[in-house]
Amino acid sequence: MIPRLIEKAGRIARSLDSVRSAAIMIGSSLIILACMHNSFTWHLQQFWGSSKNFWETVWYTCQWLCGRNNFVTFVFGSQVITAVLLFWPLNAFLMYTDLRGKDSVLYKFKVQADKNVPVDKARLKEACLVVLFNQVFSIPITAVLYPLMVKRANIFSSQLPTFQRVLLDLVVSVIAVEFAFYYSHRFLHHPSVYKWIHKKHHQWTAPVGIISLYAHPIEHVLSNFLPVALGPMIMGSHMMTTWLWFLLAIFTTVIVHSGYHLPLMPSPEAHDFHHLKFTNNYGVLGFLDRLHNTDNLFRETKQFQRHIFLFGISPITESFPDDPKLCNSPCKQFDES
């Protein structure tokens, strides 16, 4: 009886700690944004304003290339901006790196140094084909969103938004994607759903960049596409802001799936651990994982200590080397199959 009470009290204490941590994180962010509003953002707005002609030229050029057709700009322009200009060039570099294995200059930054060294060419080819299918499948889904976005606001206005408005839209989009991705991701890990849909994505326990969009089509829509589109839909963001957000989101998800903890790049440790163990780190920012105690195992590992922004050029494993005892006795991997 007493052990049960102690365990229950411990769970309540952890939950309260999670709520407090989330409140501090969100509250601090709001305070910082409020303080920055009249200082940092003012200076950035001056830069934004001084480069207004450049951004207007970019926007007019994009519209001209799309035949000044708003539907084409929204549907096909978005695919070109995100897939052709960013996703595939970035992944081409990462795939070249993965295929070189230990000969790659980036090998020392690899998170799971014994996996995909080099990556299997047949698996990589299959992953590329699945990703291509998902990107083509995104076109009609984007077309469905078009009337909703057009009804929400004048997203094709010739007047570009101010820097403060762009920043606000991006902050809302980040918060929206955290909530939408976390809960949709948790849903996909439910035993009755996982083996039919999400298990495909988890075939790669040591992910590489292209795996960021390697998923069942249902998952691609539910957990990849819609969470990222939610913020611009809520805010009625200008098309240029939406494209900027899409580029940031795609760049981040590719990097956190890359398997490399690179300098000056987002840390992949948390999501890499999710692919390795399956049971922790369902979110993007981490505060919902803290709130729901779905990062408890991760917080006890060396990967958690390494989950920081790397400023130097030395691998993070040099600052936080593996424990030899833990290396000889690895934790059991959990497969929700």
Side-chain angles (χ1 to χ4, degrees), residues 19 26 88 140 158 186 227 233 268 285 295 303 312 318 330:
V19 172
I26 297 173
W88 284 106
S158 59
R186 282 292 301 272
M233 291 176 64
L285 301 177
D295 62 351
Q303 288 92 329
E318 291 185 5

Side-chain angles (χ1 to χ4, degrees), residues 52-293:
K52 180 180 179 182
N53 290 337
F54 170 77
W55 294 115
E56 286 181 343
T57 301
V58 172
W59 173 232
Y60 294 151
T61 301
C62 291
Q63 287 187 304
W64 177 77
L65 290 173
C66 293
R68 301 195 180 281
N69 184 304
N70 289 344
F71 178 82
V72 173
T73 301
F74 184 84
V75 177
F76 296 98
S78 298
Q79 289 296 317
V80 171
I81 292 289
T82 57
V84 178
L85 298 186
L86 177 63
F87 183 86
W88 284 106
L90 178 57
N91 275 291
F93 168 74
L94 291 172
M95 285 188 285
Y96 172 76
T97 301
D98 290 328
L99 289 170
R100 285 183 57 82
K102 293 184 179 181
D103 293 331
S104 168
V105 69
L106 298 183
Y107 173 73
K108 62 181 180 179
F109 297 106
K110 196 160 179 61
V111 178
Q112 298 186 49
D114 59 335
K115 303 289 181 63
N116 295 325
V117 186
V119 67
D120 182 82
K121 292 183 180 179
R123 294 189 70 200
L124 194 61
K125 179 180 179 181
E126 190 263 341
C128 289
L129 293 175
V130 170
V131 170
L132 278 171
F133 175 84
N134 283 337
Q135 289 179 327
V136 173
F137 185 63
S138 297
I139 294 175
I141 306 301
T142 308
V144 171
L145 292 182
Y146 172 75
L148 300 177
M149 288 292 291
V150 172
K151 186 177 181 180
R152 175 69 180 82
N154 182 16
I155 64 174
F156 302 101
S157 171
S158 59
Q159 182 68 38
L160 297 183
T162 64
F163 176 80
Q164 287 88 343
R165 176 54 196 263
V166 172
L167 181 62
L168 176 62
D169 286 9
L170 292 179
V171 169
V172 171
S173 295
V174 169
I175 295 174
V177 80
E178 169 70 2
F179 279 87
F181 180 75
Y182 179 88
Y183 291 112
S184 64
H185 195 185
R186 282 292 301 272
F187 168 74
L188 292 173
H189 272 268
H190 190 278
S192 63
V193 177
Y194 175 84
K195 64 181 180 179
W196 301 108
I197 299 177
H198 193 45
K199 188 176 181 179
K200 184 178 187 66
H201 184 68
H202 274 285
Q203 290 173 357
W204 291 74
T205 55
V208 294
I210 198 74
I211 301 308
S212 54
L213 296 184
Y214 177 78
H216 188 285
I218 293 177
E219 176 183 350
H220 180 65
V221 174
L222 182 65
S223 202
N224 291 340
F225 185 91
L226 291 180
V228 174
L230 183 59
M233 291 176 64
I234 293 173
M235 298 302 295
S237 301
H238 190 279
M239 199 68 243
M240 285 283 282
T241 306
T242 300
W243 283 344
L244 174 61
W245 163 239
F246 285 174
L247 290 172
L248 290 172
I250 289 174
F251 179 81
T252 301
T253 192
V254 170
I255 294 300
V256 300
H257 280 90
S258 69
Y260 296 97
H261 195 151
L262 301 172
L264 305 180
M265 295 292 171
S267 168
E269 301 287 348
H271 197 71
D272 200 278
F273 186 84
H274 173 76
H275 273 262
L276 180 64
K277 301 299 180 183
F278 300 169
T279 59
N280 271 224
N281 304 337
Y282 298 99
V284 177
L285 301 177
F287 71 82
L288 283 179
D289 281 299
R290 192 81 291 268
L291 179 64
H292 293 291
N293 295 317

